[in-house]
Amino acid sequence: MPEGDTVWNTARVLQRALAGARLTGSDFRVPQLAATDLTGWTVRESASRGKHLLLRLTSPADQSGRDWTLHSHLRMEGAWRAYAPGERWAARPAHLIRVVLRSPGAVAVGYHLHELALIPTAEEESLVGHLGPDLLGPNWDPDEAVRRLAAHPDETIGEALLDQRNLAGVGNLYKCEVLFLRGVSPWTPVRAVPDLAGTVGLAQRLLAANRGRWTQSTTGSLHRGQTSYVYGRRAQPCRRCGTAIRKEELGERVTYWCPACQPDR
Ligand SMILES: [Zn+2]
């Protein structure tokens, strides 16, 4: 599931594959960019902000010297892959390809991307300025994240943690796992969560621990079927108390929790 750590990893893949490279070709397969050609453009850097990817480039034709940003969002199923020239693009079916960027050393292929847009870097804030503090960003600000969460006292903590305007990077997996580890029911109103700072701090540590690998684990185990406490484990016994894990809709997403370890519904 693409959450903050996955997007951070993806930004690093693109950084290694393309940073400093002059593009030898591009192929956009979305209507809004179908006429765009990035041949000759230089990739400056790749960055992530919450769950948004920002590929910053310079254009040889742009005499103003300004940078441009190719923005993409992975949502639930998007992915970028870097291939060696000539390597088969095997990650996903071809009909899911939204963009191909070619450089002398690598080919980056974006699958099922959302919100693809090419904008002046100076205008990035128009796409990501609404985001709360980025859990994996260089300016991570836990106090500000707590302040933003606390500004929604009557919302459920399960929904507030997913709201990227409060803090950027937590998706459904980390939401479920953090709340299990804190012993807090996802339906608890924000005002009744005993230690918001502890909750936010744990979310940051869990995401940070999964940087640099593609298997997301909150348990410390990378073995298949053992990587989470509650997420994806409906009806299986809680690893702590043996109670069957439950799954229900909460807002627009499903949530998993242990009714014994996370009481107070
Ligand atoms: Zn339990």
Side-chain angles (χ1 to χ4, degrees):
M1 166 128 340
E3 303 197 24
D5 57 335
T6 308
V7 181
W8 189 94
N9 288 342
T10 302
R12 197 170 67 158
V13 165
L14 292 177
Q15 174 78 11
R16 286 176 173 168
L18 295 179
R22 194 157 174 211
L23 297 180
T24 53
S26 71
D27 177 9
F28 285 93
R29 302 183 188 175
V30 292
Q32 73 270 24
L33 291 172
T36 302
D37 182 3
L38 301 183
T39 302
W41 290 42
T42 299
V43 177
R44 217 162 52 71
E45 62 179 357
S46 161
S48 65
R49 181 99 168 261
K51 298 198 263 183
H52 298 249
L53 275 160
L54 306 166
L55 190 68
R56 301 184 181 120
L57 312 104
T58 51
S59 159
D62 190 338
Q63 301 301 322
S64 68
R66 66 183 164 177
D67 288 346
W68 290 80
T69 296
L70 180 63
H71 169 273
S72 58
H73 196 290
L74 304 184
R75 284 205 206 151
M76 304 290 278
E77 62 292 275
W80 278 93
R81 291 286 183 275
Y83 300 102
E87 187 182 349
R88 203 166 78 83
W89 305 346
R92 305 275 176 95
H95 73 269
L96 295 177
I97 294 173
R98 299 293 178 265
V99 57
V100 179
L101 301 176
R102 299 170 188 278
S103 76
V107 184
V109 180
Y111 297 95
H112 218 139
L113 302 173
H114 297 270
E115 301 169 40
L116 256 186
L118 185 66
I119 58 166
T121 298
E123 294 171 19
E124 271 182 9
E125 291 300 300
S126 68
L127 294 178
V128 295
H130 65 289
L131 296 174
D134 180 355
L135 288 120
L136 297 181
N139 304 315
W140 165 233
D141 182 348
D143 295 339
E144 174 64 9
V146 168
R147 196 190 65 72
R148 290 184 181 217
L149 284 170
H152 305 277
D154 299 329
E155 241 172 63
T156 66
I157 186 66
E159 289 170 287
L161 282 176
L162 287 180
D163 187 336
Q164 305 294 302
R165 293 169 296 186
N166 293 332
L167 67 177
V170 173
N172 213 19
L173 182 151
Y174 288 105
K175 174 206 81 181
C176 296
E177 296 293 293
V178 166
L179 293 177
F180 171 80
L181 288 165
R182 299 293 303 181
V184 172
S185 158
W187 279 268
T188 308
V190 169
R191 64 182 138 73
V193 174
D195 180 3
L196 274 182
T199 303
V200 161
L202 179 61
Q204 197 279 335
R205 289 197 299 281
L206 288 179
L207 262 89
N210 283 305
R211 271 185 305 206
R213 65 180 184 221
W214 297 100
T215 302
Q216 294 169 310
S217 172
T218 55
T219 59
S221 171
L222 296 177
H223 293 290
R224 197 182 174 86
Q226 295 175 25
T227 55
S228 69
Y229 287 103
V230 292
Y231 185 82
R233 299 192 65 242
R234 187 177 68 87
Q236 295 180 47
C238 172
R239 299 193 195 281
R240 198 172 267 169
C241 75
T243 303
I245 299 300
R246 297 185 59 185
K247 172 189 178 185
E248 239 177 73
E249 281 179 22
L250 168 59
E252 294 175 354
R253 307 291 292 277
V254 297
T255 199
Y256 297 86
W257 83 107
C258 171
C261 293
Q262 299 164 265
D264 273 333
R265 185 127 177 227

